[in-house]
PDB file of all heavy atoms in Angstrom:
ATOM      1  N   GLU A   1       9.684   0.114   2.753  1.00 98.00           N
ATOM      2  CA  GLU A   1       9.552  -1.144   2.027  1.00 98.00           C
ATOM      3  C   GLU A   1       8.919  -0.925   0.657  1.00 98.00           C
ATOM      4  O   GLU A   1       9.261  -1.620  -0.308  1.00 98.00           O
ATOM      5  CB  GLU A   1       8.722  -2.132   2.845  1.00 98.00           C
ATOM      6  CG  GLU A   1       9.445  -2.629   4.097  1.00 98.00           C
ATOM      7  CD  GLU A   1       8.620  -3.643   4.870  1.00 98.00           C
ATOM      8  OE1 GLU A   1       7.406  -3.773   4.593  1.00 98.00           O
ATOM      9  OE2 GLU A   1       9.185  -4.305   5.756  1.00 98.00           O
ATOM     10  N   ALA A   2       7.998   0.031   0.564  1.00 98.00           N
ATOM     11  CA  ALA A   2       7.379   0.319  -0.731  1.00 98.00           C
ATOM     12  C   ALA A   2       8.421   0.803  -1.734  1.00 98.00           C
ATOM     13  O   ALA A   2       8.442   0.366  -2.894  1.00 98.00           O
ATOM     14  CB  ALA A   2       6.274   1.363  -0.568  1.00 98.00           C
ATOM     15  N   VAL A   3       9.306   1.692  -1.296  1.00 98.00           N
ATOM     16  CA  VAL A   3      10.374   2.177  -2.179  1.00 98.00           C
ATOM     17  C   VAL A   3      11.284   1.020  -2.575  1.00 98.00           C
ATOM     18  O   VAL A   3      11.669   0.882  -3.747  1.00 98.00           O
ATOM     19  CB  VAL A   3      11.180   3.290  -1.502  1.00 98.00           C
ATOM     20  CG1 VAL A   3      12.415   3.632  -2.327  1.00 98.00           C
ATOM     21  CG2 VAL A   3      10.319   4.539  -1.322  1.00 98.00           C
ATOM     22  N   ARG A   4      11.626   0.170  -1.620  1.00 98.00           N
ATOM     23  CA  ARG A   4      12.488  -0.980  -1.928  1.00 98.00           C
ATOM     24  C   ARG A   4      11.798  -1.918  -2.923  1.00 98.00           C
ATOM     25  O   ARG A   4      12.429  -2.444  -3.845  1.00 98.00           O
ATOM     26  CB  ARG A   4      12.834  -1.721  -0.637  1.00 98.00           C
ATOM     27  CG  ARG A   4      13.746  -2.919  -0.842  1.00 98.00           C
ATOM     28  CD  ARG A   4      15.051  -2.512  -1.467  1.00 98.00           C
ATOM     29  NE  ARG A   4      15.962  -3.656  -1.584  1.00 98.00           N
ATOM     30  CZ  ARG A   4      16.923  -3.738  -2.485  1.00 98.00           C
ATOM     31  NH1 ARG A   4      17.103  -2.746  -3.365  1.00 98.00           N
ATOM     32  NH2 ARG A   4      17.711  -4.781  -2.526  1.00 98.00           N
ATOM     33  N   GLY A   5      10.504  -2.116  -2.744  1.00 98.00           N
ATOM     34  CA  GLY A   5       9.761  -2.965  -3.673  1.00 98.00           C
ATOM     35  C   GLY A   5       9.776  -2.410  -5.080  1.00 98.00           C
ATOM     36  O   GLY A   5       9.929  -3.153  -6.053  1.00 98.00           O
ATOM     37  N   LEU A   6       9.635  -1.094  -5.205  1.00 98.00           N
ATOM     38  CA  LEU A   6       9.713  -0.466  -6.520  1.00 98.00           C
ATOM     39  C   LEU A   6      11.095  -0.651  -7.126  1.00 98.00           C
ATOM     40  O   LEU A   6      11.239  -0.925  -8.320  1.00 98.00           O
ATOM     41  CB  LEU A   6       9.380   1.022  -6.402  1.00 98.00           C
ATOM     42  CG  LEU A   6       7.940   1.379  -6.034  1.00 98.00           C
ATOM     43  CD1 LEU A   6       7.812   2.875  -5.776  1.00 98.00           C
ATOM     44  CD2 LEU A   6       6.970   0.949  -7.128  1.00 98.00           C
ATOM     45  N   GLU A   7      12.126  -0.501  -6.296  1.00 98.00           N
ATOM     46  CA  GLU A   7      13.501  -0.673  -6.789  1.00 98.00           C
ATOM     47  C   GLU A   7      13.744  -2.093  -7.281  1.00 98.00           C
ATOM     48  O   GLU A   7      14.483  -2.304  -8.258  1.00 98.00           O
ATOM     49  CB  GLU A   7      14.487  -0.342  -5.670  1.00 98.00           C
ATOM     50  CG  GLU A   7      14.522   1.129  -5.292  1.00 98.00           C
ATOM     51  CD  GLU A   7      15.372   1.411  -4.072  1.00 98.00           C
ATOM     52  OE1 GLU A   7      15.707   0.456  -3.332  1.00 98.00           O
ATOM     53  OE2 GLU A   7      15.697   2.580  -3.834  1.00 98.00           O
ATOM     54  N   LEU A   8      13.121  -3.064  -6.618  1.00 98.00           N
ATOM     55  CA  LEU A   8      13.302  -4.463  -7.011  1.00 98.00           C
ATOM     56  C   LEU A   8      12.435  -4.850  -8.211  1.00 98.00           C
ATOM     57  O   LEU A   8      12.572  -5.943  -8.749  1.00 98.00           O
ATOM     58  CB  LEU A   8      12.981  -5.385  -5.831  1.00 98.00           C
ATOM     59  CG  LEU A   8      13.952  -5.316  -4.646  1.00 98.00           C
ATOM     60  CD1 LEU A   8      13.408  -6.123  -3.472  1.00 98.00           C
ATOM     61  CD2 LEU A   8      15.332  -5.844  -5.051  1.00 98.00           C
ATOM     62  N   GLY A   9      11.532  -3.947  -8.607  1.00 98.00           N
ATOM     63  CA  GLY A   9      10.716  -4.205  -9.791  1.00 98.00           C
ATOM     64  C   GLY A   9       9.399  -4.895  -9.539  1.00 98.00           C
ATOM     65  O   GLY A   9       8.800  -5.446 -10.473  1.00 98.00           O
ATOM     66  N   ALA A  10       8.924  -4.895  -8.297  1.00 98.00           N
ATOM     67  CA  ALA A  10       7.620  -5.514  -8.016  1.00 98.00           C
ATOM     68  C   ALA A  10       6.549  -4.887  -8.901  1.00 98.00           C
ATOM     69  O   ALA A  10       6.527  -3.677  -9.112  1.00 98.00           O
ATOM     70  CB  ALA A  10       7.264  -5.342  -6.546  1.00 98.00           C
ATOM     71  N   ASP A  11       5.658  -5.712  -9.410  1.00 98.00           N
ATOM     72  CA  ASP A  11       4.634  -5.230 -10.332  1.00 98.00           C
ATOM     73  C   ASP A  11       3.512  -4.502  -9.603  1.00 98.00           C
ATOM     74  O   ASP A  11       2.816  -3.669 -10.191  1.00 98.00           O
ATOM     75  CB  ASP A  11       4.071  -6.411 -11.125  1.00 98.00           C
ATOM     76  CG  ASP A  11       5.169  -7.099 -11.920  1.00 98.00           C
ATOM     77  OD1 ASP A  11       5.465  -6.640 -13.039  1.00 98.00           O
ATOM     78  OD2 ASP A  11       5.760  -8.070 -11.405  1.00 98.00           O
ATOM     79  N   ALA A  12       3.315  -4.814  -8.347  1.00 98.00           N
ATOM     80  CA  ALA A  12       2.394  -4.096  -7.467  1.00 98.00           C
ATOM     81  C   ALA A  12       2.842  -4.387  -6.049  1.00 98.00           C
ATOM     82  O   ALA A  12       3.621  -5.322  -5.799  1.00 98.00           O
ATOM     83  CB  ALA A  12       0.947  -4.526  -7.690  1.00 98.00           C
ATOM     84  N   LEU A  13       2.364  -3.581  -5.111  1.00 98.00           N
ATOM     85  CA  LEU A  13       2.791  -3.691  -3.720  1.00 98.00           C
ATOM     86  C   LEU A  13       1.589  -4.017  -2.852  1.00 98.00           C
ATOM     87  O   LEU A  13       0.639  -3.237  -2.757  1.00 98.00           O
ATOM     88  CB  LEU A  13       3.420  -2.370  -3.267  1.00 98.00           C
ATOM     89  CG  LEU A  13       4.597  -1.875  -4.123  1.00 98.00           C
ATOM     90  CD1 LEU A  13       4.987  -0.461  -3.707  1.00 98.00           C
ATOM     91  CD2 LEU A  13       5.780  -2.825  -4.007  1.00 98.00           C
ATOM     92  N   LYS A  14       1.636  -5.162  -2.220  1.00 98.00           N
ATOM     93  CA  LYS A  14       0.557  -5.599  -1.349  1.00 98.00           C
ATOM     94  C   LYS A  14       0.754  -4.999   0.039  1.00 98.00           C
ATOM     95  O   LYS A  14       1.696  -5.361   0.748  1.00 98.00           O
ATOM     96  CB  LYS A  14       0.533  -7.123  -1.274  1.00 98.00           C
ATOM     97  CG  LYS A  14      -0.489  -7.690  -0.292  1.00 98.00           C
ATOM     98  CD  LYS A  14      -0.376  -9.200  -0.230  1.00 98.00           C
ATOM     99  CE  LYS A  14      -1.312  -9.781   0.818  1.00 98.00           C
ATOM    100  NZ  LYS A  14      -1.211 -11.266   0.883  1.00 98.00           N
ATOM    101  N   LEU A  15      -0.112  -4.064   0.423  1.00 98.00           N
ATOM    102  CA  LEU A  15      -0.064  -3.512   1.765  1.00 98.00           C
ATOM    103  C   LEU A  15      -0.636  -4.557   2.718  1.00 98.00           C
ATOM    104  O   LEU A  15      -1.840  -4.839   2.691  1.00 98.00           O
ATOM    105  CB  LEU A  15      -0.871  -2.216   1.853  1.00 98.00           C
ATOM    106  CG  LEU A  15      -1.113  -1.690   3.279  1.00 98.00           C
ATOM    107  CD1 LEU A  15       0.210  -1.374   3.962  1.00 98.00           C
ATOM    108  CD2 LEU A  15      -2.027  -0.474   3.247  1.00 98.00           C
ATOM    109  N   PHE A  16       0.233  -5.136   3.556  1.00 97.00           N
ATOM    110  CA  PHE A  16      -0.202  -6.239   4.413  1.00 97.00           C
ATOM    111  C   PHE A  16       0.446  -6.138   5.786  1.00 97.00           C
ATOM    112  O   PHE A  16       1.652  -5.927   5.879  1.00 97.00           O
ATOM    113  CB  PHE A  16       0.165  -7.576   3.760  1.00 97.00           C
ATOM    114  CG  PHE A  16      -0.272  -8.768   4.564  1.00 97.00           C
ATOM    115  CD1 PHE A  16      -1.589  -9.215   4.489  1.00 97.00           C
ATOM    116  CD2 PHE A  16       0.617  -9.419   5.401  1.00 97.00           C
ATOM    117  CE1 PHE A  16      -1.990 -10.308   5.244  1.00 97.00           C
ATOM    118  CE2 PHE A  16       0.216 -10.509   6.158  1.00 97.00           C
ATOM    119  CZ  PHE A  16      -1.093 -10.965   6.072  1.00 97.00           C
ATOM    120  N   PRO A  17      -0.379  -6.320   6.837  1.00 97.00           N
ATOM    121  CA  PRO A  17      -1.840  -6.397   6.781  1.00 97.00           C
ATOM    122  C   PRO A  17      -2.463  -5.007   6.768  1.00 97.00           C
ATOM    123  O   PRO A  17      -1.942  -4.074   7.376  1.00 97.00           O
ATOM    124  CB  PRO A  17      -2.188  -7.138   8.074  1.00 97.00           C
ATOM    125  CG  PRO A  17      -1.098  -6.749   9.030  1.00 97.00           C
ATOM    126  CD  PRO A  17       0.152  -6.571   8.198  1.00 97.00           C
ATOM    127  N   ALA A  18      -3.595  -4.910   6.102  1.00 97.00           N
ATOM    128  CA  ALA A  18      -4.311  -3.631   6.070  1.00 97.00           C
ATOM    129  C   ALA A  18      -5.134  -3.428   7.336  1.00 97.00           C
ATOM    130  O   ALA A  18      -5.519  -2.309   7.651  1.00 97.00           O
ATOM    131  CB  ALA A  18      -5.217  -3.579   4.841  1.00 97.00           C
ATOM    132  N   ALA A  19      -5.424  -4.519   8.032  1.00 95.00           N
ATOM    133  CA  ALA A  19      -6.192  -4.427   9.275  1.00 95.00           C
ATOM    134  C   ALA A  19      -5.487  -3.493  10.251  1.00 95.00           C
ATOM    135  O   ALA A  19      -4.272  -3.567  10.442  1.00 95.00           O
ATOM    136  CB  ALA A  19      -6.345  -5.811   9.901  1.00 95.00           C
ATOM    137  N   GLY A  20      -6.256  -2.620  10.860  1.00 91.00           N
ATOM    138  CA  GLY A  20      -5.690  -1.668  11.808  1.00 91.00           C
ATOM    139  C   GLY A  20      -5.238  -0.369  11.176  1.00 91.00           C
ATOM    140  O   GLY A  20      -4.894   0.579  11.878  1.00 91.00           O
ATOM    141  N   ARG A  21      -5.225  -0.313   9.852  1.00 95.00           N
ATOM    142  CA  ARG A  21      -4.874   0.918   9.141  1.00 95.00           C
ATOM    143  C   ARG A  21      -6.141   1.559   8.567  1.00 95.00           C
ATOM    144  O   ARG A  21      -7.113   0.873   8.277  1.00 95.00           O
ATOM    145  CB  ARG A  21      -3.889   0.648   8.008  1.00 95.00           C
ATOM    146  CG  ARG A  21      -2.540   0.097   8.459  1.00 95.00           C
ATOM    147  CD  ARG A  21      -1.649  -0.065   7.249  1.00 95.00           C
ATOM    148  NE  ARG A  21      -0.382  -0.710   7.549  1.00 95.00           N
ATOM    149  CZ  ARG A  21       0.724  -0.059   7.880  1.00 95.00           C
ATOM    150  NH1 ARG A  21       0.710   1.255   7.951  1.00 95.00           N
ATOM    151  NH2 ARG A  21       1.836  -0.717   8.134  1.00 95.00           N
ATOM    152  N   HIS A  22      -6.071   2.846   8.374  1.00 96.00           N
ATOM    153  CA  HIS A  22      -7.178   3.564   7.755  1.00 96.00           C
ATOM    154  C   HIS A  22      -6.855   3.755   6.274  1.00 96.00           C
ATOM    155  O   HIS A  22      -5.681   3.918   5.906  1.00 96.00           O
ATOM    156  CB  HIS A  22      -7.365   4.932   8.431  1.00 96.00           C
ATOM    157  CG  HIS A  22      -8.621   5.625   8.033  1.00 96.00           C
ATOM    158  ND1 HIS A  22      -8.683   6.434   6.907  1.00 96.00           N
ATOM    159  CD2 HIS A  22      -9.859   5.622   8.582  1.00 96.00           C
ATOM    160  CE1 HIS A  22      -9.912   6.906   6.791  1.00 96.00           C
ATOM    161  NE2 HIS A  22     -10.653   6.438   7.792  1.00 96.00           N
ATOM    162  N   PRO A  23      -7.856   3.735   5.391  1.00 97.00           N
ATOM    163  CA  PRO A  23      -7.589   3.950   3.965  1.00 97.00           C
ATOM    164  C   PRO A  23      -6.802   5.218   3.676  1.00 97.00           C
ATOM    165  O   PRO A  23      -6.103   5.298   2.650  1.00 97.00           O
ATOM    166  CB  PRO A  23      -8.994   4.004   3.362  1.00 97.00           C
ATOM    167  CG  PRO A  23      -9.807   3.111   4.251  1.00 97.00           C
ATOM    168  CD  PRO A  23      -9.270   3.366   5.632  1.00 97.00           C
ATOM    169  N   SER A  24      -6.893   6.204   4.545  1.00 96.00           N
ATOM    170  CA  SER A  24      -6.146   7.452   4.320  1.00 96.00           C
ATOM    171  C   SER A  24      -4.640   7.206   4.265  1.00 96.00           C
ATOM    172  O   SER A  24      -3.898   8.026   3.707  1.00 96.00           O
ATOM    173  CB  SER A  24      -6.466   8.473   5.412  1.00 96.00           C
ATOM    174  OG  SER A  24      -6.106   7.988   6.694  1.00 96.00           O
ATOM    175  N   TRP A  25      -4.180   6.067   4.823  1.00 96.00           N
ATOM    176  CA  TRP A  25      -2.750   5.721   4.763  1.00 96.00           C
ATOM    177  C   TRP A  25      -2.294   5.665   3.313  1.00 96.00           C
ATOM    178  O   TRP A  25      -1.204   6.133   2.976  1.00 96.00           O
ATOM    179  CB  TRP A  25      -2.509   4.388   5.455  1.00 96.00           C
ATOM    180  CG  TRP A  25      -1.064   4.006   5.619  1.00 96.00           C
ATOM    181  CD1 TRP A  25      -0.259   4.269   6.699  1.00 96.00           C
ATOM    182  CD2 TRP A  25      -0.245   3.276   4.692  1.00 96.00           C
ATOM    183  NE1 TRP A  25       1.000   3.753   6.496  1.00 96.00           N
ATOM    184  CE2 TRP A  25       1.035   3.142   5.276  1.00 96.00           C
ATOM    185  CE3 TRP A  25      -0.462   2.719   3.433  1.00 96.00           C
ATOM    186  CZ2 TRP A  25       2.083   2.480   4.633  1.00 96.00           C
ATOM    187  CZ3 TRP A  25       0.579   2.068   2.789  1.00 96.00           C
ATOM    188  CH2 TRP A  25       1.826   1.950   3.391  1.00 96.00           C
ATOM    189  N   VAL A  26      -3.131   5.075   2.464  1.00 97.00           N
ATOM    190  CA  VAL A  26      -2.784   4.968   1.047  1.00 97.00           C
ATOM    191  C   VAL A  26      -2.637   6.349   0.433  1.00 97.00           C
ATOM    192  O   VAL A  26      -1.691   6.634  -0.306  1.00 97.00           O
ATOM    193  CB  VAL A  26      -3.847   4.141   0.282  1.00 97.00           C
ATOM    194  CG1 VAL A  26      -3.647   4.275  -1.227  1.00 97.00           C
ATOM    195  CG2 VAL A  26      -3.773   2.680   0.686  1.00 97.00           C
ATOM    196  N   GLY A  27      -3.580   7.218   0.744  1.00 96.00           N
ATOM    197  CA  GLY A  27      -3.509   8.572   0.197  1.00 96.00           C
ATOM    198  C   GLY A  27      -2.269   9.317   0.651  1.00 96.00           C
ATOM    199  O   GLY A  27      -1.632  10.031  -0.140  1.00 96.00           O
ATOM    200  N   GLU A  28      -1.909   9.151   1.918  1.00 97.00           N
ATOM    201  CA  GLU A  28      -0.728   9.824   2.445  1.00 97.00           C
ATOM    202  C   GLU A  28       0.545   9.298   1.779  1.00 97.00           C
ATOM    203  O   GLU A  28       1.437  10.074   1.402  1.00 97.00           O
ATOM    204  CB  GLU A  28      -0.639   9.626   3.963  1.00 97.00           C
ATOM    205  CG  GLU A  28      -1.746  10.296   4.754  1.00 97.00           C
ATOM    206  CD  GLU A  28      -1.671  11.807   4.681  1.00 97.00           C
ATOM    207  OE1 GLU A  28      -0.584  12.340   4.415  1.00 97.00           O
ATOM    208  OE2 GLU A  28      -2.716  12.460   4.894  1.00 97.00           O
ATOM    209  N   VAL A  29       0.642   7.995   1.619  1.00 97.00           N
ATOM    210  CA  VAL A  29       1.834   7.407   0.992  1.00 97.00           C
ATOM    211  C   VAL A  29       1.915   7.796  -0.474  1.00 97.00           C
ATOM    212  O   VAL A  29       2.985   8.164  -0.976  1.00 97.00           O
ATOM    213  CB  VAL A  29       1.827   5.873   1.153  1.00 97.00           C
ATOM    214  CG1 VAL A  29       2.937   5.241   0.301  1.00 97.00           C
ATOM    215  CG2 VAL A  29       2.022   5.489   2.618  1.00 97.00           C
ATOM    216  N   ARG A  30       0.791   7.772  -1.168  1.00 96.00           N
ATOM    217  CA  ARG A  30       0.818   8.087  -2.592  1.00 96.00           C
ATOM    218  C   ARG A  30       1.037   9.575  -2.850  1.00 96.00           C
ATOM    219  O   ARG A  30       1.396   9.962  -3.961  1.00 96.00           O
ATOM    220  CB  ARG A  30      -0.457   7.597  -3.282  1.00 96.00           C
ATOM    221  CG  ARG A  30      -0.559   6.085  -3.305  1.00 96.00           C
ATOM    222  CD  ARG A  30      -1.572   5.586  -4.316  1.00 96.00           C
ATOM    223  NE  ARG A  30      -1.079   5.750  -5.671  1.00 96.00           N
ATOM    224  CZ  ARG A  30      -1.585   6.597  -6.559  1.00 96.00           C
ATOM    225  NH1 ARG A  30      -2.592   7.378  -6.238  1.00 96.00           N
ATOM    226  NH2 ARG A  30      -1.087   6.656  -7.771  1.00 96.00           N
ATOM    227  N   ALA A  31       0.810  10.408  -1.846  1.00 97.00           N
ATOM    228  CA  ALA A  31       1.147  11.816  -2.013  1.00 97.00           C
ATOM    229  C   ALA A  31       2.650  11.973  -2.202  1.00 97.00           C
ATOM    230  O   ALA A  31       3.118  12.817  -2.972  1.00 97.00           O
ATOM    231  CB  ALA A  31       0.683  12.619  -0.795  1.00 97.00           C
ATOM    232  N   ALA A  32       3.418  11.124  -1.516  1.00 97.00           N
ATOM    233  CA  ALA A  32       4.875  11.150  -1.652  1.00 97.00           C
ATOM    234  C   ALA A  32       5.367  10.175  -2.714  1.00 97.00           C
ATOM    235  O   ALA A  32       6.399  10.405  -3.349  1.00 97.00           O
ATOM    236  CB  ALA A  32       5.529  10.806  -0.310  1.00 97.00           C
ATOM    237  N   LEU A  33       4.615   9.082  -2.911  1.00 98.00           N
ATOM    238  CA  LEU A  33       5.010   8.041  -3.872  1.00 98.00           C
ATOM    239  C   LEU A  33       3.849   7.758  -4.827  1.00 98.00           C
ATOM    240  O   LEU A  33       3.224   6.693  -4.781  1.00 98.00           O
ATOM    241  CB  LEU A  33       5.390   6.745  -3.129  1.00 98.00           C
ATOM    242  CG  LEU A  33       6.530   6.830  -2.130  1.00 98.00           C
ATOM    243  CD1 LEU A  33       6.648   5.521  -1.354  1.00 98.00           C
ATOM    244  CD2 LEU A  33       7.842   7.140  -2.847  1.00 98.00           C
ATOM    245  N   PRO A  34       3.524   8.701  -5.694  1.00 97.00           N
ATOM    246  CA  PRO A  34       2.372   8.504  -6.590  1.00 97.00           C
ATOM    247  C   PRO A  34       2.561   7.348  -7.559  1.00 97.00           C
ATOM    248  O   PRO A  34       1.587   6.871  -8.154  1.00 97.00           O
ATOM    249  CB  PRO A  34       2.279   9.842  -7.330  1.00 97.00           C
ATOM    250  CG  PRO A  34       3.663  10.423  -7.259  1.00 97.00           C
ATOM    251  CD  PRO A  34       4.190   9.999  -5.923  1.00 97.00           C
ATOM    252  N   GLN A  35       3.807   6.900  -7.708  1.00 97.00           N
ATOM    253  CA  GLN A  35       4.091   5.796  -8.629  1.00 97.00           C
ATOM    254  C   GLN A  35       3.905   4.427  -7.976  1.00 97.00           C
ATOM    255  O   GLN A  35       4.097   3.397  -8.640  1.00 97.00           O
ATOM    256  CB  GLN A  35       5.525   5.915  -9.164  1.00 97.00           C
ATOM    257  CG  GLN A  35       6.622   5.576  -8.157  1.00 97.00           C
ATOM    258  CD  GLN A  35       6.999   6.747  -7.263  1.00 97.00           C
ATOM    259  OE1 GLN A  35       6.177   7.597  -6.964  1.00 97.00           O
ATOM    260  NE2 GLN A  35       8.265   6.801  -6.851  1.00 97.00           N
ATOM    261  N   ALA A  36       3.526   4.389  -6.704  1.00 98.00           N
ATOM    262  CA  ALA A  36       3.418   3.119  -5.987  1.00 98.00           C
ATOM    263  C   ALA A  36       2.035   2.500  -6.174  1.00 98.00           C
ATOM    264  O   ALA A  36       1.042   3.033  -5.671  1.00 98.00           O
ATOM    265  CB  ALA A  36       3.698   3.341  -4.504  1.00 98.00           C
ATOM    266  N   PRO A  37       1.930   1.359  -6.875  1.00 98.00           N
ATOM    267  CA  PRO A  37       0.641   0.685  -7.059  1.00 98.00           C
ATOM    268  C   PRO A  37       0.325  -0.194  -5.848  1.00 98.00           C
ATOM    269  O   PRO A  37       0.816  -1.317  -5.722  1.00 98.00           O
ATOM    270  CB  PRO A  37       0.852  -0.163  -8.321  1.00 98.00           C
ATOM    271  CG  PRO A  37       2.328  -0.448  -8.327  1.00 98.00           C
ATOM    272  CD  PRO A  37       3.012   0.681  -7.616  1.00 98.00           C
ATOM    273  N   LEU A  38      -0.490   0.311  -4.939  1.00 98.00           N
ATOM    274  CA  LEU A  38      -0.738  -0.349  -3.658  1.00 98.00           C
ATOM    275  C   LEU A  38      -2.001  -1.201  -3.696  1.00 98.00           C
ATOM    276  O   LEU A  38      -3.038  -0.796  -4.238  1.00 98.00           O
ATOM    277  CB  LEU A  38      -0.860   0.692  -2.548  1.00 98.00           C
ATOM    278  CG  LEU A  38       0.423   1.489  -2.269  1.00 98.00           C
ATOM    279  CD1 LEU A  38       0.119   2.680  -1.373  1.00 98.00           C
ATOM    280  CD2 LEU A  38       1.478   0.596  -1.635  1.00 98.00           C
ATOM    281  N   ILE A  39      -1.913  -2.389  -3.087  1.00 98.00           N
ATOM    282  CA  ILE A  39      -3.040  -3.314  -2.988  1.00 98.00           C
ATOM    283  C   ILE A  39      -3.224  -3.683  -1.515  1.00 98.00           C
ATOM    284  O   ILE A  39      -2.533  -4.572  -1.009  1.00 98.00           O
ATOM    285  CB  ILE A  39      -2.801  -4.602  -3.808  1.00 98.00           C
ATOM    286  CG1 ILE A  39      -2.489  -4.277  -5.266  1.00 98.00           C
ATOM    287  CG2 ILE A  39      -4.003  -5.522  -3.706  1.00 98.00           C
ATOM    288  CD1 ILE A  39      -2.099  -5.503  -6.076  1.00 98.00           C
ATOM    289  N   PRO A  40      -4.116  -3.027  -0.803  1.00 98.00           N
ATOM    290  CA  PRO A  40      -4.370  -3.410   0.584  1.00 98.00           C
ATOM    291  C   PRO A  40      -4.979  -4.815   0.661  1.00 98.00           C
ATOM    292  O   PRO A  40      -5.833  -5.182  -0.152  1.00 98.00           O
ATOM    293  CB  PRO A  40      -5.363  -2.356   1.083  1.00 98.00           C
ATOM    294  CG  PRO A  40      -5.246  -1.228   0.103  1.00 98.00           C
ATOM    295  CD  PRO A  40      -4.899  -1.856  -1.207  1.00 98.00           C
ATOM    296  N   ALA A  41      -4.555  -5.588   1.628  1.00 98.00           N
ATOM    297  CA  ALA A  41      -5.096  -6.934   1.845  1.00 98.00           C
ATOM    298  C   ALA A  41      -4.899  -7.302   3.307  1.00 98.00           C
ATOM    299  O   ALA A  41      -4.001  -6.801   3.974  1.00 98.00           O
ATOM    300  CB  ALA A  41      -4.404  -7.953   0.946  1.00 98.00           C
ATOM    301  N   GLY A  42      -5.737  -8.206   3.778  1.00 96.00           N
ATOM    302  CA  GLY A  42      -5.663  -8.596   5.173  1.00 96.00           C
ATOM    303  C   GLY A  42      -6.491  -7.670   6.031  1.00 96.00           C
ATOM    304  O   GLY A  42      -5.989  -6.685   6.539  1.00 96.00           O
ATOM    305  N   GLY A  43      -7.791  -7.975   6.162  1.00 95.00           N
ATOM    306  CA  GLY A  43      -8.681  -7.116   6.920  1.00 95.00           C
ATOM    307  C   GLY A  43      -9.584  -6.252   6.076  1.00 95.00           C
ATOM    308  O   GLY A  43     -10.426  -5.524   6.604  1.00 95.00           O
ATOM    309  N   VAL A  44      -9.435  -6.304   4.743  1.00 97.00           N
ATOM    310  CA  VAL A  44     -10.323  -5.548   3.852  1.00 97.00           C
ATOM    311  C   VAL A  44     -11.655  -6.289   3.741  1.00 97.00           C
ATOM    312  O   VAL A  44     -11.694  -7.510   3.573  1.00 97.00           O
ATOM    313  CB  VAL A  44      -9.693  -5.374   2.460  1.00 97.00           C
ATOM    314  CG1 VAL A  44     -10.646  -4.637   1.529  1.00 97.00           C
ATOM    315  CG2 VAL A  44      -8.373  -4.638   2.564  1.00 97.00           C
ATOM    316  N   THR A  45     -12.760  -5.565   3.836  1.00 97.00           N
ATOM    317  CA  THR A  45     -14.098  -6.151   3.751  1.00 97.00           C
ATOM    318  C   THR A  45     -14.871  -5.526   2.593  1.00 97.00           C
ATOM    319  O   THR A  45     -14.475  -4.480   2.061  1.00 97.00           O
ATOM    320  CB  THR A  45     -14.879  -5.904   5.051  1.00 97.00           C
ATOM    321  OG1 THR A  45     -15.155  -4.496   5.174  1.00 97.00           O
ATOM    322  CG2 THR A  45     -14.077  -6.373   6.267  1.00 97.00           C
ATOM    323  N   PRO A  46     -15.998  -6.134   2.207  1.00 97.00           N
ATOM    324  CA  PRO A  46     -16.810  -5.520   1.147  1.00 97.00           C
ATOM    325  C   PRO A  46     -17.262  -4.110   1.506  1.00 97.00           C
ATOM    326  O   PRO A  46     -17.478  -3.282   0.617  1.00 97.00           O
ATOM    327  CB  PRO A  46     -18.007  -6.483   1.028  1.00 97.00           C
ATOM    328  CG  PRO A  46     -17.455  -7.810   1.466  1.00 97.00           C
ATOM    329  CD  PRO A  46     -16.494  -7.483   2.577  1.00 97.00           C
ATOM    330  N   GLU A  47     -17.398  -3.827   2.793  1.00 97.00           N
ATOM    331  CA  GLU A  47     -17.824  -2.500   3.222  1.00 97.00           C
ATOM    332  C   GLU A  47     -16.703  -1.474   3.090  1.00 97.00           C
ATOM    333  O   GLU A  47     -16.948  -0.316   2.723  1.00 97.00           O
ATOM    334  CB  GLU A  47     -18.320  -2.550   4.673  1.00 97.00           C
ATOM    335  CG  GLU A  47     -19.617  -3.311   4.886  1.00 97.00           C
ATOM    336  CD  GLU A  47     -19.471  -4.818   4.714  1.00 97.00           C
ATOM    337  OE1 GLU A  47     -18.399  -5.364   5.085  1.00 97.00           O
ATOM    338  OE2 GLU A  47     -20.418  -5.450   4.204  1.00 97.00           O
ATOM    339  N   THR A  48     -15.485  -1.875   3.409  1.00 97.00           N
ATOM    340  CA  THR A  48     -14.374  -0.918   3.406  1.00 97.00           C
ATOM    341  C   THR A  48     -13.613  -0.871   2.085  1.00 97.00           C
ATOM    342  O   THR A  48     -12.888   0.093   1.826  1.00 97.00           O
ATOM    343  CB  THR A  48     -13.369  -1.246   4.520  1.00 97.00           C
ATOM    344  OG1 THR A  48     -12.780  -2.547   4.289  1.00 97.00           O
ATOM    345  CG2 THR A  48     -14.046  -1.235   5.886  1.00 97.00           C
TER     346      THR A  48
END
């Protein structure tokens, strides 16, 4: 879906829901898709 969002021209990609995922998910995805501007939401707290 991230690749499809980039193809459609999305200005940023909202990772939703982020709840249940570890922040390392972003690092793993960006290793393959460094051009993907990801915004985790849904379950993000001031601590995380």
Side-chain angles (χ1 to χ4, degrees):
E1 291 182 346
V3 171
R4 181 59 176 154
L6 292 173
E7 291 173 345
L8 292 172
D11 300 275
L13 304 171
K14 175 183 176 180
L15 169 61
F16 181 81
R21 297 182 186 269
H22 191 273
S24 61
W25 188 92
V26 168
E28 294 293 337
V29 170
R30 293 197 73 248
L33 301 172
Q35 73 276 30
L38 295 168
I39 305 174
V44 178
T45 68
E47 292 71 35
T48 63

